[in-house]
C-alpha cells in the first residue's frame, strides 16, 4: 500500500467515535484485500477554515456561529465552514475516515459535490452528505442539489435518525452503487438510496459544530488499487494574468487605473472558468461577503479572518490589489452587533467601546494589505432618499458616526484609502448631493475620506440607466470637491437584450476612464453562473455580468473595445 503523509494516523482514543465512509461505484469493496493509496488529510493546510485549529494531535473544531442574516435582520441561515484550501479529486472508489474525540455537544462531517454558493442574503446548499453525532444519536442528511422551496431553510431529500448502541464504536457508511448503508460496530443502522449525489469527481470537506467543540484525531482518504485518488489545490492557484486582459489593456493608457470585480472564495477555489476569468482580466479584488461583519465576527469578541485572509493571499500571489468591503453597514451585521444596547448614555458608551474595538481589530488585522476600504457602506435610506439609516452605528454615535469610524480606521491604518460607498447616487440629484455633503462634512469634522463609491447597479434600463453626460457632471462635481470616485459595483441587466446591456457597460467604463477623478472600475461579480437573487417566486439567476458560464458576453466585448480605443 502506498501511504502519503500519514504521520498523524493513529487509533482512536477511548473518548472518541470513528466514522468511516466507504463510497464505491459498484459492489462492496473489501479495502483490506484491495491495497491502494492512503492520504492523511490532517497533513493538509487547514489554516483558512473558520473554527478549525491545528495542533499536535490533529484538529480542534469549535462552533463559529456563522450565519447569513436577511436584509431586515430577520431570519438567519446557518453557514457552516467548508475547507476551500484542499479538496479530493476522484472518479473511482474511495474511503474517507474520520475519528472524533472530546465531543462536547455535536460533531458534523460534511461532504459536498461542490462548495455552497454564498449570496448576500442566502446560501444555496449543494449536493452532499452531512453526518451529525450528538451523544448516541446519529443524523444522516442527504442533499441532492435540487432547487429548494425555501432557500434559507434547505431540506434534505433523505433525513434519517439512528440510535448508535455504542457512541464509541466505529461508524461506517458504505456506498454500493445507488445505496448507502450505515453501520455501527458492524451492525447496519440505516440503509437508503443515494441517487446521483457524488458524481462531480470532487469532494469538498466540512467539519463543524453547532453549539460545542470536538477534536479530530484522524482524517484519511483511501482508494483501492487501480483507483484514482488525490488531493487538489484551489484551481485559482494555476490561473494566470492575461497579457491582453481588461486590466492589462487599461494599464496601457492609465497605469494606475484599476479594473476590479467582487469575488467569492468558493468559485475561485473550485471553478476553473471563474478563476481564469477573474485572474486573467482583473487587477483588483473586492471580497463579496468575506469581509462583512457577519463573516468576520459572527460572535462578539470572536474573529474569523480565515476566508478573507485566503482571498488576500490569492490576490497578493497574483499581484492583484484589494479593496476592503466593508466596516459600518446597516446590513450583514451579526445579531450581537445589531442588538447592542443604546437605551441610556451608559449603554451607548459601552456599545461605543465594543464597536470601536471591532473597527480597530479588523483594520489592524488587514493593515498593509488593502489598497482602499469602504469605511461606510450605504448610509442613506433604502427608499433612495437622503436620510441616514438609523442603524446601530447611528444609535450609538449619532448622525456624525462616519467621522468616528473614519478616525478609528485612520488610527489603525493611516495608509488605507477611505471611501463612502452608496447606491442610487450615480447621477446628479438630491441623493448624490447628500453623499457629497456627507463626505465633506465628515472630513471637516476630522475624518479622512478620500472619495466615494458609486455602485452603478442598473437593474432596470428604463429607470436606472446612466448616461455619459450625467457621469461627466458627476465626476466633475466630486473632482471639484477634491474627492476621488470609484465605480464600485457595476452590473447591468440584460432584460432589454445583450446589445443594450453592452452599450450601458461601455458608457459607464468609458466615462470613468475619461475623468481623472474616477480612479477605478469594479463589476459586482464575475460570472452569471454565480449571480443569484431572491424575488417573490424564489431564487432566480441573473444575467448581469461580463461572463456567462465561463464565456465572455457581448458586454465583455464592449468593455474590451472601450479599453482598446
Amino acid at each position: 500500500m502506498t501511504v502519503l503523509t500519514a504521520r498523524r494516523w493513529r487509533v482512536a482514543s477511548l473518548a472518541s467515535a470513528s466514522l468511516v465512509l466507504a463510497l464505491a461505484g459498484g459492489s462492496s469493496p473489501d479495502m483490506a484485500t484491495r491495497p491502494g493509496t492512503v492520504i492523511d488529510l490532517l497533513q493538509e493546510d487547514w489554516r483558512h477554515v473558520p473554527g478549525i485549529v491545528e495542533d499536535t494531535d490533529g484538529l480542534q473544531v469549535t462552533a463559529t456561529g456563522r450565519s447569513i442574516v436577511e436584509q431586515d435582520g430577520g431570519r438567519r441561515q446557518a453557514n457552516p465552514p467548508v475547507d476551500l484550501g484542499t479538496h479530493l479529486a476522484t472518479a473511482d472508489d474511495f474511503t474517507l475516515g474520520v475519528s472524533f474525540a472530546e465531543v462536547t455537544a455535536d460533531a458534523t462531517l460534511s461532504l459536498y459535490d461542490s462548495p455552497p454558493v454564498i449570496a448576500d442574503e442566502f446560501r444555496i446548499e449543494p449536493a452532499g452528505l452531512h453526518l451529525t453525532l450528538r451523544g448516541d444519536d446519529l443524523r444522516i442528511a442527504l442533499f441532492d442539489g435540487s432547487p429548494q422551496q425555501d432557500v434559507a431553510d434547505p431540506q434534505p431529500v433523505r433525513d434519517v435518525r439512528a440510535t448508535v448502541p455504542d457512541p464509541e464504536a466505529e461508524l461506517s457508511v458504505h456506498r454500493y452503487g445507488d445505496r448507502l448503508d450505515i453501520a455501527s460496530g458492524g451492525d447496519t443502522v440505516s440503509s437508503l438510496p443515494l441517487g446521483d449525489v457524488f458524481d462531480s469527481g470532487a469532494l469538498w470537506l466540512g467539519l463543524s459544530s453547532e453549539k460545542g467543540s470536538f477534536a479530530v484525531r484522524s482524517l484519511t482518504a483511501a482508494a483501492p488499487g487501480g483507483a484514482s485518488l488525490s488531493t487538489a489545490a484551489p484551481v485559482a492557484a494555476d490561473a494566470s494574468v492575461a497579457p491582453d486582459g481588461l486590466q492589462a489593456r487599461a494599464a496601457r493608457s492609465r497605469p494606475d487605473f484599476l479594473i476590479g470585480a467582487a469575488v467569492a472564495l468558493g468559485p475561485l477555489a473550485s471553478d476553473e472558468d471563474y478563476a481564469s476569468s477573474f485572474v486573467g482580466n482583473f487587477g483588483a479584488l473586492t471580497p463579496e461577503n468575506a469581509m462583512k461583519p457577519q463573516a468576520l465576527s459572527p460572535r462578539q469578541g470572536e474573529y474569523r479572518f480565515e476566508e478573507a485572509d485566503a482571498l488576500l493571499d490569492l490576490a497578493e500571489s497574483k499581484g492583484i490589489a484589494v479593496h476592503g468591503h466593508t466596516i459600518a453597514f446597516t446590513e450583514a451585521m451579526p445579531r450581537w452587533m445589531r442588538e447592542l444596547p443604546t437605551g441610556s448614555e451608559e449603554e451607548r458608551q459601552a456599545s461605543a467601546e465594543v464597536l470601536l474595538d471591532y473597527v480597530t481589530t479588523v483594520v489592524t488585522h488587514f493593515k498593509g494589505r488593502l489598497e482602499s476600504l469602504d469605511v461606510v457602506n450605504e448610509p442613506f435610506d433604502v427608499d433612495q432618499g437622503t436620510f441616514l439609516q438609523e442603524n446601530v452605528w447611528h444609535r450609538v454615535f449619532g448622525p456624525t458616526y462616519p467621522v468616528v469610524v473614519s478616525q478609528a480606521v485612520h488610527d489603525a491604518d493611516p495608509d488605507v484609502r477611505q471611501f463612502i460607498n452608496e447606491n442610487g447616487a450615480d447621477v446628479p440629484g438630491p441623493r448624490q448631493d447628500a453623499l457629497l455633503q456627507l463626505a465633506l462634512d465628515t472630513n471637516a469634522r476630522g475624518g479622512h475620506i478620500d472619495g466615494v463609491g458609486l455602485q452603478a447597479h442598473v437593474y432596470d434600463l428604463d429607470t436606472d440607466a446612466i448616461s455619459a453626460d450625467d457621469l461627466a457632471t458627476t465626476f466633475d462635481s466630486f473632482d471639484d470637491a477634491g474627492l476621488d470616485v470609484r465605480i464600485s459595483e457595476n452590473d447591468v441587466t440584460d432584460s432589454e437584450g445583450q446589445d443594450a446591456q453592452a452599450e450601458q457597460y461601455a458608457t459607464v467604463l468609458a466615462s470613468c476612464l475619461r475623468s481623472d477623478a474616477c480612479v477605478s472600475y469594479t463589476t459586482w461579480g464575475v460570472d452569471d453562473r454565480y449571480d443569484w437573487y431572491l424575488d417573490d417566486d424564489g431564487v432566480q439567476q441573473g444575467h448581469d455580468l461580463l461572463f456567462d458560464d465561463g464565456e465572455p458576453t457581448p458586454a465583455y466585448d464592449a468593455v474590451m473595445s472601450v479599453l482598446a480605443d
Side-chain angles (χ1 to χ4, degrees):
M1 177 177 287
T2 303
V3 179
L4 304 181
T5 58
R7 177 169 54 87
R8 291 182 181 169
W9 175 258
R10 57 182 48 79
V11 178
S13 64
L14 284 177
S16 70
S18 180
L19 296 174
V20 177
L21 255 70
L23 292 94
S27 60
S28 173
D30 182 356
M31 299 302 296
T33 60
R34 298 173 64 189
T37 299
V38 174
I39 301 173
D40 185 354
L41 295 171
L42 292 182
Q43 299 296 317
E44 301 301 322
D45 187 356
W46 293 87
R47 292 174 302 160
H48 293 319
V49 187
I52 296 182
V53 176
E54 298 172 293
D55 64 19
T56 56
D57 294 323
L59 304 175
Q60 294 292 325
V61 183
T62 305
T64 64
R66 293 191 352 151
S67 62
I68 300 172
V69 183
E70 290 186 346
Q71 185 176 24
D72 61 2
R75 288 195 307 171
R76 296 184 301 165
Q77 181 182 0
N79 184 26
V82 181
D83 180 9
L84 298 173
T86 301
H87 64 281
L88 289 169
T90 179
D92 301 308
D93 300 355
F94 66 91
T95 298
L96 184 75
V98 60
S99 295
F100 294 151
E102 303 164 19
V103 180
T104 63
D106 58 277
T108 295
L109 169 71
S110 299
L111 298 178
Y112 300 94
D113 251 5
S114 62
V117 175
I118 308 299
D120 286 352
E121 295 183 55
F122 58 90
R123 157 180 165 144
I124 299 178
E125 193 68 28
L129 173 70
H130 305 268
L131 300 176
T132 300
L133 192 63
R134 290 184 176 90
D136 63 357
D137 179 73
L138 177 68
R139 183 187 182 193
I140 305 148
L142 192 67
F143 293 84
D144 64 0
S146 59
Q148 294 281 336
Q149 184 175 0
D150 182 356
V151 69
D153 185 23
Q155 299 299 312
V157 292
R158 295 287 185 274
D159 194 352
V160 177
R161 308 300 283 265
T163 299
V164 179
D166 180 5
E168 296 182 358
E170 180 179 87
L171 294 172
S172 59
V173 182
H174 300 272
R175 174 185 171 184
Y176 309 113
D178 61 354
R179 301 298 300 178
L180 262 170
D181 290 341
I182 298 93
S184 173
D187 297 326
T188 299
V189 296
S190 181
S191 181
L192 65 160
L194 177 64
D196 297 324
V197 172
F198 297 116
D199 60 0
S200 70
L203 276 178
W204 301 81
L205 306 182
L207 292 164
S208 62
S209 178
E210 181 182 358
K211 296 181 178 180
S213 62
F214 62 94
V216 180
R217 294 298 181 233
S218 67
L219 182 61
T220 60
S228 171
L229 176 67
S230 63
T231 57
V235 294
D238 295 327
S240 58
V241 177
D244 201 35
L246 298 177
Q247 181 61 57
R249 286 199 177 195
R252 293 169 191 165
S253 57
R254 289 187 60 180
D256 295 330
F257 188 83
L258 292 174
I259 302 280
V263 301
L265 186 59
L268 268 181
S270 63
D271 188 329
E272 291 183 8
D273 293 336
Y274 182 102
S276 176
S277 298
F278 172 69
V279 175
N281 284 280
F282 296 95
L285 179 157
T286 299
E288 191 171 358
N289 291 295
M291 285 185 65
K292 292 177 179 176
Q294 68 181 7
L296 292 183
S297 185
R299 292 179 171 177
Q300 186 173 347
E302 298 179 7
Y303 291 89
R304 304 297 179 184
F305 294 115
E306 294 89 350
E307 289 191 6
D309 284 344
L311 282 172
L312 269 61
D313 287 350
L314 171 70
E316 290 168 359
S317 73
K318 304 297 181 181
I320 294 173
V322 177
H323 174 78
H325 179 79
T326 175
I327 299 295
F329 185 21
T330 302
E331 301 171 21
M333 279 193 289
R335 180 165 292 177
W336 71 262
M337 183 180 287
R338 187 184 295 271
E339 296 178 353
L340 284 172
T342 59
S344 67
E345 181 62 27
E346 292 77 10
E347 288 178 335
R348 286 190 291 274
Q349 289 180 357
S351 295
E353 291 182 6
V354 172
L355 289 174
L356 289 176
D357 180 72
Y358 171 83
V359 176
T360 300
T361 300
V362 169
V363 178
T364 300
H365 178 83
F366 295 115
K367 182 178 181 180
R369 305 186 73 187
L370 303 179
E371 173 80 14
S372 51
L373 174 65
D374 289 331
V375 297
V376 178
N377 190 55
E378 299 177 6
F380 296 115
D381 64 84
V382 297
D383 296 322
Q384 298 300 301
T386 59
F387 295 100
L388 290 174
Q389 296 193 62
E390 294 189 6
N391 54 31
V392 68
W393 301 90
H394 190 287
R395 294 193 300 273
V396 169
F397 298 109
T400 59
Y401 78 85
V403 179
V404 179
V405 176
S406 178
Q407 290 174 337
V409 169
H410 184 267
D411 289 344
D413 185 354
D415 295 325
V416 69
R417 306 190 72 242
Q418 299 187 25
F419 286 80
I420 300 176
N421 190 47
E422 186 55 277
N423 61 49
D426 320 298
V427 299
R431 193 167 174 93
Q432 186 179 105
D433 294 342
L435 177 61
L436 173 59
Q437 196 61 49
L438 178 63
L440 293 175
D441 289 347
T442 298
N443 286 345
R445 291 180 169 89
H448 303 271
I449 302 301
D450 294 283
V452 300
L454 304 179
Q455 294 183 8
H457 291 297
V458 182
Y459 301 129
D460 185 329
L461 282 165
D462 290 332
T463 58
D464 303 337
I466 307 170
S467 71
D469 289 343
D470 281 344
L471 283 171
T473 300
T474 295
F475 295 143
D476 287 345
S477 296
F478 286 102
D479 194 22
D480 292 342
L483 295 168
D484 289 335
V485 177
R486 300 180 65 251
I487 296 298
S488 58
E489 302 185 16
N490 190 209
D491 51 15
V492 181
T493 179
D494 71 345
S495 61
E496 300 297 321
Q498 290 188 321
D499 289 344
Q501 179 189 47
E503 182 179 355
Q504 177 66 100
Y505 262 111
T507 296
V508 173
L509 178 57
S511 300
C512 182
L513 285 167
R514 281 194 291 265
S515 172
D516 289 338
C518 191
V519 296
S520 66
Y521 168 87
T522 290
T523 64
W524 198 247
V526 176
D527 194 304
D528 290 333
R529 188 179 289 167
Y530 301 95
D531 182 12
W532 297 91
Y533 64 93
L534 279 174
D535 65 12
D536 293 339
D537 296 322
V539 177
Q540 307 294 331
Q541 185 172 16
H543 296 278
D544 310 317
L545 303 173
L546 299 181
F547 294 87
D548 189 353
D549 276 337
E551 297 296 327
T553 65
Y556 175 86
D557 296 335
V559 166
M560 286 292 279
S561 296
V562 167
L563 294 171
D565 293 339

